[in-house]
Amino acid sequence: VARNQYERMGSDVTMQCGTLENDASVSWKVNGTDVKAQHRLEGPRLLLNEVDLGHNGLYSCFQNPHGERRDTIYLHIGIKPDPPERVTATPIRFNARRLEVSWHSPSTWPDIDNFPLKYFLRYRPLIREQWQHVELSDSTSHTITDAYAGKEYIIQVAAKDTEIGTWSDWSVAVHATPWIEDPLPITSTTEGDFSTETKTSPIPSSNAPQKAEPPVGRAARLLTFFSPLLLGMLLLFMW
């Protein structure tokens, strides 16, 4: 079973062939072929100079003279990675203190499956100068749960190759504000919403009671027309 060895880009690397003594004679192969990179041997140790991504691979050592394999090492070289890409921050509906942050690994990173990255998230409200930090393993998202309600935030992410790499530069800053409750719409008042008002009659011009005029109908008009005639007939009868 291969064991992992992590080294920094540009450094000089020494790999030890198991627990062999200093005077042991060994040979080395990488990915099944002889090591062709610039190197030197010191007993059971292989020394590689100024390693880069081309030195990544599976190294095996064999003890001479019979060629018995004594150790297998998977060498991981860390490239300061480029910053994470496509960082987004989204408010969470009905939660005034949360922001959902997500991002993508840098597209220039050669093999994210075999060489996973860890991430460093920083965020702060614009009204403050002090950053808050969160370190993550290989996750590409994080939910901020302690944001100030209604305050605009600035957010950035950096990446690093496991424990031995160098942190990338910060990503492009994104801005986001936690969810703010929508104000209730103003509704118009309908006619039925008003209470019935008691209406009063106009105040008369005089304090004296007002005598109502009798209605003038058809019978009254006929009486007015025939009254002189009846009076005449009555006087004639009396004579």
Side-chain angles (χ1 to χ4, degrees):
V1 177
R3 56 188 177 89
N4 293 308
Q5 183 171 337
Y6 298 92
E7 299 292 344
R8 183 175 291 106
M9 178 81 73
S11 64
D12 294 334
V13 174
T14 299
M15 286 185 285
Q16 169 73 34
C17 184
T19 58
L20 294 178
E21 299 293 334
N22 289 338
D23 58 353
S25 175
V26 299
S27 60
W28 290 81
K29 293 182 181 294
V30 57
N31 300 326
T33 63
D34 293 336
V35 177
K36 297 182 174 60
Q38 184 179 358
H39 69 282
R40 71 177 187 271
L41 296 176
E42 292 183 356
R45 291 178 292 277
L46 173 66
L47 285 74
L48 301 175
N49 298 324
E50 298 181 350
V51 294
D52 56 26
L53 291 178
H55 290 88
N56 286 321
L58 188 65
Y59 289 77
S60 301
C61 61
F62 304 86
Q63 186 173 11
N64 299 326
H66 303 295
E68 179 184 1
R69 184 166 65 180
R70 301 302 300 268
D71 202 0
T72 304
I73 303 169
Y74 207 124
L75 181 62
H76 303 267
I77 305 301
I79 174 172
K80 178 183 176 180
D82 288 329
E85 302 172 354
R86 290 180 281 173
V87 181
T88 60
T90 307
I92 299 177
R93 188 168 177 79
F94 303 120
N95 198 313
R97 300 202 63 193
R98 296 196 174 199
L99 288 170
E100 183 69 29
V101 185
S102 62
W103 58 90
H104 288 75
S105 302
S107 56
T108 54
W109 192 246
D111 191 346
I112 193 63
D113 294 326
N114 292 320
F115 303 99
L117 296 173
K118 61 189 305 183
Y119 300 96
F120 204 52
L121 172 71
R122 71 176 186 178
Y123 59 96
R124 65 174 177 86
L126 293 183
I127 61 173
R128 300 187 62 181
E129 295 295 331
Q130 184 178 2
W131 293 92
Q132 294 172 270
H133 299 90
V134 178
E135 188 168 334
L136 306 164
S137 55
D138 59 351
S139 175
T140 56
S141 65
H142 178 73
T143 301
I144 296 173
T145 59
D146 57 354
Y148 290 108
K151 301 300 181 182
E152 183 179 356
Y153 270 74
I154 180 172
I155 302 163
Q156 291 179 291
V157 187
K160 179 183 176 182
D161 179 14
T162 65
E163 297 296 331
I164 62 169
T166 302
W167 285 109
S168 72
D169 296 330
W170 290 107
S171 66
V172 175
V174 296
H175 293 250
T177 303
W179 178 80
I180 301 176
E181 184 176 3
D182 297 330
L184 294 176
I186 300 176
T187 57
S188 59
T189 305
T190 62
E191 184 178 349
D193 294 334
F194 291 101
S195 59
T196 304
E197 296 181 358
T198 302
K199 296 184 178 181
T200 58
S201 301
I203 299 176
S205 58
S206 172
N207 291 329
Q210 303 297 308
K211 184 178 181 181
E213 294 291 336
V216 180
R218 182 178 180 184
R221 289 195 300 271
L222 290 175
L223 182 61
T224 303
F225 176 78
F226 288 108
S227 59
L229 179 60
L230 291 176
L231 181 58
M233 292 178 63
L234 180 61
L235 290 175
L236 181 61
F237 179 78
M238 292 177 64
W239 283 100

